[in-house]
Amino acid sequence: MRALFLSEPPFHFGVHEPAPDLPSRIQALVDAGDREEAVVLFQREAVGLPDAMIAQFRATDAFAGVVPLAQSTVYDATLARELSTPTDAMLAVDVPVTILCGEQTFPFLSAAAERLAAAMPHAELIVSPESVGHRLDAQAATRIVAARLA
């Protein structure tokens, strides 16, 4: 491996950890066929979105596109619980690491990106104004990756 690129890694570093039973509660909603509520629970407790922002999101067409992916929120919550804080081996990566973060993203993801960049000896944090709301801008990311691999 010559380089590592990460986009808004969801590490909590022990700060504002979601409840340990969150994945099982989300799974119970999925199993009951209530995928909308499963997505909302994930947004509220795993991502930390306020109810007003969740209500705004629910009113968009994008929400309807996310609901069929409700099962993936169980996996996301499980993985985030198991790897909430990077291990020493993860932090000791001995290649250049570029951590991409949107200028307008969720505060928990900005904080995680900053903490991770500070903890990794070969890391740089790139804040991309083109990436908004945890959506990586493909053109900006391509430009950044190409420049670092050149």
Side-chain angles (χ1 to χ4, degrees):
M1 179 170 58
R2 294 184 321 154
L4 178 62
F5 296 87
L6 304 171
S7 177
E8 298 186 358
F11 294 117
H12 283 272
F13 287 89
V15 178
H16 304 297
E17 295 282 350
D21 69 340
L22 180 60
S24 62
R25 289 187 290 128
I26 297 171
Q27 185 67 62
L29 289 168
V30 170
D31 292 345
D34 199 351
R35 295 182 300 175
E36 286 188 12
E37 286 306 312
V39 170
V40 166
L41 179 60
F42 176 79
Q43 291 174 330
R44 182 178 295 118
E45 293 190 26
V47 179
L49 294 183
D51 286 338
M53 188 177 282
I54 292 170
Q56 288 174 347
F57 182 50
R58 281 187 99 149
T60 68
D61 292 337
F63 183 76
V66 172
V67 170
L69 305 174
Q71 182 65 54
S72 70
T73 64
V74 176
Y75 308 140
D76 195 327
T78 301
L79 182 60
R81 180 190 66 210
E82 297 300 318
L83 294 173
S84 176
T85 300
T87 65
D88 290 342
M90 294 164 85
L91 296 174
V93 170
D94 196 24
V95 297
V97 177
T98 303
I99 301 167
L100 303 170
C101 188
E103 190 170 80
Q104 298 175 40
T105 192
F106 306 120
F108 132 71
L109 293 172
S110 295
E114 291 169 8
R115 284 185 192 106
L116 187 60
M120 295 184 83
H122 303 290
E124 71 171 323
L125 174 61
I126 302 292
V127 177
S128 172
E130 300 93 342
S131 296
V132 176
H134 195 46
R135 289 185 297 274
L136 181 66
D137 182 87
Q139 290 180 336
T142 299
R143 188 175 58 252
I144 292 165
V145 170
R148 282 167 182 72
L149 293 178

